[in-house]
Amino acid sequence: MTRSPGHDNAATVAAFFDVDNTIVRGASAYHIARGLQQRGYFRWRDIAHFGWEQAKYTLFGESREQLDELRDEALGVIKGWSAAEMAQVGEEVYDEVLELRIFPGTKAIIDEHRAQGHQVWLVTASPVEIGRVIARRLGATGALGTVAEQKDGHYTGRLVGDFLHKEKKAAAVRQLAEDEVLDLDRSFAYGDSVNDGPMLEAVGNPCAINPDTKLRKLASERGWPIEEFRKRRKNGRRGVVKASLTGTVWAGLAVVRGVRGAVRGVAGIGRSDDAVEAEHAGDARSL
């Protein structure tokens, strides 16, 4: 991390962190969804559908239509749920899964910013509830995320504002800077994806962490520092490609296993949760 010029007025300096694959290995929302499914909130076909959409996203990239469809379907699923229960599940899943998936290198950067008196904000396209749980546990100032509308403590199935993605992240950072009187020229931003590019460009000290191919290229062109905290193999470049392909296969297998598990359930063939988790753990180790 490059230190900000001078140490006076440190509170006007902020560090903005993307979450998935920047702070947390993998998709935090997936782990929350898995925790909800284990507690009976999701049906197997919901998990299978979202797994398939994630596999398509990994293989073919995103489109505006795909993001809109996923947003609408996700909001439809949570309509009527208790926000308090969702927050409680987030706390439990953090203890069970997310805490173990925090990149130590990124955690060290967060701690250094905190030691300098900087504000630390997480900025994620995932539900803001997830970001707030992670922010609180890491001692960050707060979190910005996609906000689902609530009425009487329950989700209505609508969004407040926009899906926090790409340029919307940068807009949210600028708005926060205005509200908190932050100096963006002295501030920092960290992300792993080219989708974080607008947020990184909004500050004076951008840094790519575990960057995807497009962000790595952009960072090299702009002269931005690059940090790599993923476990590297002897051939690091090949290792990253292999991990991406394995992740795609894993997402596909999750769909197949969801369908197969449902068939087993209908046929009356039981299978313990421990066996399922052991199977997923084996896949995770290959990433």
Side-chain angles (χ1 to χ4, degrees):
M1 184 187 82
T2 304
R3 291 185 178 275
S4 55
H7 294 280
D8 54 332
N9 297 323
T12 66
V13 177
F16 303 97
F17 289 81
D18 170 59
V19 174
D20 294 346
N21 290 312
T22 301
I23 296 177
V24 177
R25 185 184 301 275
S28 55
Y30 168 81
H31 296 295
I32 297 295
R34 176 67 174 148
L36 288 165
Q37 187 270 335
Q38 290 171 335
R39 290 160 175 81
Y41 285 84
F42 282 133
R43 296 164 295 181
W44 71 266
R45 64 186 181 186
D46 296 322
I47 295 295
H49 177 74
F50 288 129
W52 169 240
E53 292 298 335
Q54 177 63 32
K56 287 197 298 183
Y57 172 88
T58 306
L59 284 170
F60 307 117
E62 68 185 28
S63 68
R64 181 70 257 177
E65 293 76 13
Q66 182 186 18
L67 288 172
D68 288 344
E69 180 183 353
L70 280 173
R71 177 201 63 199
D72 293 342
E73 290 189 7
L75 288 169
V77 168
I78 69 170
K79 184 177 180 179
W81 288 9
S82 164
E85 289 180 0
M86 178 79 86
Q88 180 59 39
V89 170
E91 297 284 353
E92 294 170 1
V93 172
Y94 184 91
D95 290 332
E96 295 167 5
V97 180
L98 296 181
E99 185 175 24
L100 302 176
R101 301 182 71 85
I102 300 293
F103 288 109
T106 308
K107 176 63 164 55
I109 294 175
I110 290 173
D111 289 344
E112 186 175 349
H113 279 296
R114 292 178 59 212
Q116 292 189 65
H118 299 164
Q119 293 192 27
V120 175
W121 289 87
L122 310 192
V123 187
T124 178
S126 294
V128 68
E129 290 86 354
I130 298 176
R132 286 170 179 164
V133 168
I134 299 172
R136 184 166 59 256
R137 296 303 189 93
L138 295 179
T141 310
L144 304 175
T146 300
V147 179
E149 184 184 70
Q150 298 178 30
K151 183 177 181 181
D152 299 327
H154 293 78
Y155 295 112
T156 67
R158 295 187 295 269
L159 281 186
V160 176
D162 296 302
F163 186 63
L164 209 63
H165 186 60
K166 288 187 175 178
E167 290 80 7
K168 299 300 181 182
K169 278 190 174 184
V173 163
R174 293 190 184 98
Q175 184 60 56
L176 181 70
E178 182 177 335
D179 295 342
E180 296 286 323
V181 194
L182 300 172
D183 184 348
L184 289 182
D185 288 338
R186 296 175 61 212
S187 293
F188 300 75
Y190 303 86
D192 74 292
S193 166
V194 70
N195 294 326
D196 297 318
M199 180 178 73
L200 298 180
E201 291 175 330
V203 301
N205 299 286
C207 178
I209 291 182
N210 305 327
D212 61 18
T213 301
K214 291 182 179 179
L215 181 59
R216 186 178 294 274
K217 181 175 183 295
L218 178 64
S220 297
E221 291 173 350
R222 302 290 176 83
W224 297 346
I226 296 174
E227 298 285 357
E228 182 60 70
F229 297 134
R230 293 169 293 198
K231 184 178 180 181
R232 303 302 294 270
R233 295 169 174 81
K234 291 182 180 179
N235 186 328
R237 187 181 185 85
R238 187 173 301 170
V240 171
V241 172
K242 182 177 179 183
S244 298
L245 292 174
T246 304
T248 301
V249 173
W250 189 23
L253 286 174
V255 176
V256 174
R257 286 172 184 150
V259 174
R260 188 169 62 194
V263 172
R264 286 174 177 270
V266 171
I269 303 173
R271 190 173 183 206
S272 71
D273 288 341
D274 290 343
V276 175
E277 289 302 325
E279 192 171 273
H280 279 290
D283 292 327
R285 283 192 292 272
S286 68
L287 289 176

